[in-house]
Amino acid sequence: MVLEFGLVGKRVLVTASSKGIGFAVAKAFLLNGSRVVISSSNGENVRRAVDSLASLGEVHGFTADLRSKNDIDGLIEYASSKLGGLDTLVYVAGSPSPG
């Protein structure tokens, strides 16, 4: 059952969201009627995640390494362009490198 949280039509960017927690967050926003852009540093993972989520609503994917200012700038520009602005940013970062 989906509860009404006032998220219908909201424009959402979820970083590091091709798997795990970020993917689940993006899915929850989509199930509640939001329009979503997901990202990951791995383009293939982004494509698979978009394919998996597409039946739930409007979702777009972008490959970006959050350690790169240029990638971050590109991600924000892409998300804003695709969605006509942003209402919500969910910042999820991948796991740290071992050691």
Side-chain angles (χ1 to χ4, degrees), residues 14-98:
V14 185
T15 65
S17 48
S18 66
K19 299 185 205 176
I21 292 169
F23 182 87
V25 169
K27 182 177 181 178
F29 274 103
L30 286 165
L31 287 170
N32 282 279
S34 297
R35 300 165 56 218
V36 178
V37 170
I38 64 169
S39 75
S40 170
S41 61
N42 183 302
E44 181 59 26
N45 288 347
V46 171
R47 187 194 61 73
R48 275 189 248 141
V50 167
D51 288 349
S52 178
L53 295 169
S55 66
L56 303 178
E58 182 183 348
V59 60
H60 307 276
F62 190 84
T63 303
D65 184 338
L66 299 180
R67 298 171 293 180
S68 165
K69 182 180 180 332
N70 287 337
D71 282 11
I72 293 168
D73 290 344
L75 173 59
I76 298 298
E77 184 177 315
Y78 175 84
S80 294
S81 172
K82 281 293 185 185
L83 302 177
L86 291 171
D87 297 306
T88 303
L89 167 66
V90 180
Y91 179 77
V92 180
S95 300
S97 301

Side-chain angles (χ1 to χ4, degrees), residues 3-12 28-29 32-35 88:
L3 301 175
E4 174 56 51
F5 292 110
L7 299 173
V8 174
K10 295 297 181 183
R11 302 162 300 181
V12 180
F29 274 103
N32 282 279
S34 297
R35 300 165 56 218
T88 303

